[in-house]
Amino acid sequence: MQIRSVGTRLTLWYTSLLTLTFILLAGTAYGFLAYSLSHDLDAALDGVAGTLAKQAHGGATSFFSSEVDEVFRHFFGFSPLDRYFDLRDPSGRSEPRQPLHPAGKLPLSAEALTNASKGLPTFETVENIQNYPVRLLTLPVMKGGRVANLIQVGMSMENMYKTRRRFLLVMAAVLPLGLLLAGGGGWLLARRALKPVDIMTQAARRISGEHLSERLQETGSGDELDRLAKTLNDMLGRLDDAFHQMRQFSADASHELQTPLTILKGEMEVALRSPRSAKEYQRVLESGLEEIDRISQLVEGLLLLARADAGVLRLDLRPVELKELLQEIYEQMKVVADDHSVNLQTASMEPVSIQGDRENLRRLLLNLVDNAIKYTAEAGGVTLSVQAEGEWAAVRIFDTGIGLSKDEQDRIFTRFYRAVEARSQGEGGAGLGLCIAESIAEAHGGRIQVESTPGQGSTFTVFLPQTQT
Ligand code: ADP
């Protein structure tokens, strides 16, 4: 059975461990108690037998002098006359002058007799004398190096057994009660400790894509649960941003697609309203084609970004000589720059080779050079250069254009972002060019860096890893 509540699982674990500890402790205490009791009993028997032996040795006439009687009563709380003892001759026969135990003769085992003949004492536990076993000591009394008598002293183990049983009874009553209390306490504590998790779960359940601005409550205590709430809140913050960007992206993309489509539709509707000359139809078709070009460029750009996001932008990697590629771009864009009366030129052009996708690199650099020309006023200049810098190939596009503020520099790589001044120029695309350029650079293991001063110009540097030779 799978227990779903952490609180219950914790309590079960805790109670099981506690039970084990209790049982171990109680077992050890019981063992120690049993050992002490039996050790004390043997010591008492030894003491009494020793005193009796001295009496017998001294040739006392009465075996039960008041001294012996006192010793018995001191250790056992009764006199030997009441209980078990026997005096035997070396062969084991009972001395007739001694009183016998009321229940009959104390048994003398062969082992005790053998031990006694060697002068050794024997401790035994004898059953079936009374309801309880009797602990029996057989001690030889030596005279002139020979065994003169055997003294047997016994004591019922009733008290010892009763003490042990009392201990077990107390344990049997206390253990379950202790476990119940400890287990119940543990369960309450676990419930209390995990309550915030329940609250957090309910709060998290309420938060959906539409309510990502909601946050879990942080207690500020800095404990594990507070840290968890903080981590989840940070994650929600990031999700909220991502959702926001996604919505913004969809809205911007729709807007950018809608503009050319509206123009296209409007022009066609107007053209169809009344008969036109062939020349007019051709003009409408040409204009329509321009809008379709804009749409297909936009869709192509979006597709490239989507592939780059998904990490599936496929690059056809081959050795690319950047100096050569930049020279081609220079020649291609010279006409555009002339159209804008911008002076496009090249500066330091070092031969630097990289491993790259030529078509995508061309697209990257064309975007940057096109921007530099677009955002540079008439009579301004755009300079291209390529150099090796350490393990990097650095392609620089320097312009004397409108420039960008610090804040704008941070945002120009955001999709569909266009700086105010660029927008007011009325020129330019949808605000995807730099994002595409950045994605291509990153797919090559490189990056784009921008330095700019508003009103003075900008330098865009593309760093790409050089081919290691
Ligand atoms: P756009 O299609 O608007 O050119 P980009 O992604 O290429 O889109 O550029 C984003 C914005 O970055 C531009 O709208 C412009 O505000 C700014 N920008 C890019 N290149 C330059 C530059 N060389 N000089 C000044 N501003 C630039």
Side-chain angles (χ1 to χ4, degrees):
M1 186 185 65
Q2 176 102 23
I3 298 168
R4 283 170 175 269
S5 155
V6 176
T8 315
R9 274 211 299 270
L10 271 179
T11 312
L12 279 180
W13 270 106
Y14 162 74
T15 317
S16 311
L17 278 177
L18 204 68
T19 312
L20 207 72
T21 317
F22 272 2
I23 289 174
L24 267 174
L25 277 178
T28 314
Y30 180 77
F32 186 70
L33 177 77
Y35 170 78
S36 305
L37 286 173
S38 90
H39 182 266
D40 288 353
L41 183 60
D42 286 358
L45 285 174
D46 198 35
V48 173
T51 313
L52 285 173
K54 252 188 245 155
Q55 289 281 321
H57 205 267
T61 46
S62 166
F63 205 57
F64 309 105
S65 67
S66 60
E67 192 191 332
V68 175
D69 197 51
E70 204 178 298
V71 171
F72 262 82
R73 287 188 193 285
H74 172 74
F75 281 111
F76 301 147
F78 54 83
S79 158
L81 289 169
D82 314 329
R83 293 292 165 114
Y84 315 106
F85 78 96
D86 209 347
L87 183 68
R88 297 171 185 267
D89 68 15
S91 64
R93 267 194 307 276
S94 287
E95 298 275 329
R97 59 194 165 113
Q98 300 305 332
L100 293 176
H101 172 255
K105 246 172 112 162
L106 287 175
L108 178 66
S109 67
E111 189 195 349
L113 199 58
T114 322
N115 282 345
S117 67
K118 293 177 198 158
L120 298 172
T122 308
F123 284 99
E124 293 165 294
T125 302
V126 186
E127 312 275 347
N128 303 327
I129 291 187
Q130 259 196 345
N131 293 341
Y132 290 91
V134 170
R135 188 72 174 156
L136 185 64
L137 167 62
T138 307
L139 184 75
V141 181
M142 308 298 284
K143 237 181 209 165
R146 291 183 49 236
V147 180
N149 286 104
L150 301 184
I151 290 172
Q152 281 194 298
V153 185
M155 183 178 177
S156 165
M157 294 170 87
E158 180 178 356
N159 275 348
M160 192 178 104
Y161 276 37
K162 280 187 175 161
T163 310
R164 279 174 15 184
R165 191 173 319 129
R166 265 200 303 276
F167 178 86
L168 285 179
L169 280 174
V170 170
M171 284 298 141
V174 165
L175 282 196
L177 202 75
L179 284 178
L180 208 71
L181 278 175
W187 186 71
L188 280 178
L189 279 180
R191 241 176 70 121
R192 219 185 113 130
L194 293 171
K195 183 111 185 109
V197 177
D198 270 349
I199 295 173
M200 230 186 269
T201 312
Q202 278 160 20
R205 214 173 273 152
R206 279 199 305 274
I207 300 173
S208 62
E210 275 67 48
H211 300 101
L212 276 175
S213 54
E214 275 190 38
R215 292 290 176 270
L216 302 174
Q217 204 185 339
E218 293 175 26
T219 55
S221 61
D223 62 12
E224 288 84 347
L225 293 174
D226 190 47
R227 289 207 297 274
L228 177 66
K230 205 167 155 21
T231 311
L232 287 175
N233 280 341
D234 289 349
M235 193 183 76
L236 281 172
R238 289 196 297 275
L239 272 177
D240 198 12
D241 285 351
F243 263 60
H244 179 75
Q245 276 175 17
M246 218 170 67
R247 283 196 205 104
Q248 186 67 40
F249 179 75
S250 310
D252 290 343
S254 319
H255 176 76
E256 288 298 329
L257 283 170
Q258 204 179 18
T259 313
L261 280 172
T262 312
I263 297 173
L264 195 60
K265 187 169 175 253
E267 280 180 345
M268 294 205 168
E269 277 170 356
V270 171
L272 286 173
R273 227 169 262 163
S274 51
R276 313 268 161 184
S277 67
K279 212 169 169 183
E280 276 176 300
Y281 280 128
Q282 190 177 354
R283 193 196 56 76
V284 171
L285 283 176
E286 277 168 5
S287 165
L289 211 58
E290 265 176 37
E291 296 308 326
I292 289 170
D293 268 352
R294 268 181 75 181
I295 295 172
S296 78
Q297 262 178 28
L298 194 66
V299 170
E300 207 183 312
L302 287 173
L303 204 66
L304 186 141
L305 287 175
R307 284 204 183 115
D309 282 351
V312 291
L313 184 63
R314 241 179 273 143
L315 297 177
D316 180 16
L317 294 177
R318 287 160 202 268
V320 177
E321 179 48 70
L322 285 177
K323 177 184 171 185
E324 212 177 84
L325 181 64
L326 202 61
Q327 190 63 38
E328 273 175 34
I329 285 167
Y330 165 77
E331 274 149 29
Q332 193 178 336
M333 293 305 282
K334 184 78 180 122
V335 192
V336 184
D338 288 347
D339 270 359
H340 282 74
S341 309
V342 168
N343 180 22
L344 179 65
Q345 55 189 358
T346 54
S348 149
M349 297 284 271
E350 288 179 14
V352 190
S353 183
I354 67 153
Q355 197 66 16
D357 182 318
R358 198 179 174 86
E359 273 326 295
N360 275 314
L361 288 173
R362 172 192 292 281
R363 184 171 193 168
L364 183 169
L365 296 174
L366 274 178
N367 270 343
L368 295 183
V369 178
D370 185 49
N371 275 350
I373 296 170
K374 256 184 340 197
Y375 302 119
T376 298
E378 282 187 13
V382 173
T383 312
L384 314 180
S385 71
V386 55
Q387 282 160 313
E389 289 182 9
E391 57 200 42
W392 299 99
V395 182
R396 280 201 178 77
I397 294 109
F398 165 80
D399 69 58
T400 57
I402 56 176
L404 293 154
S405 69
K406 192 85 203 73
D407 177 52
E408 287 169 337
Q409 288 172 40
D410 292 339
R411 299 170 67 187
I412 48 173
F413 293 99
T414 309
R415 285 163 200 192
F416 297 111
Y417 175 80
R418 304 194 66 215
V420 182
E421 192 142 351
R423 250 180 275 161
S424 65
Q425 268 195 6
E427 247 194 293
L432 285 182
L434 281 183
C435 306
I436 293 171
E438 190 184 42
S439 293
I440 295 173
E442 282 174 358
H444 280 82
R447 69 197 152 88
I448 300 179
Q449 182 183 296
V450 56
E451 290 152 272
S452 184
T453 312
Q456 287 188 20
S458 317
T459 306
F460 283 80
T461 312
V462 187
F463 290 100
L464 296 164
Q466 274 192 74
T467 312
Q468 300 298 320
T469 44

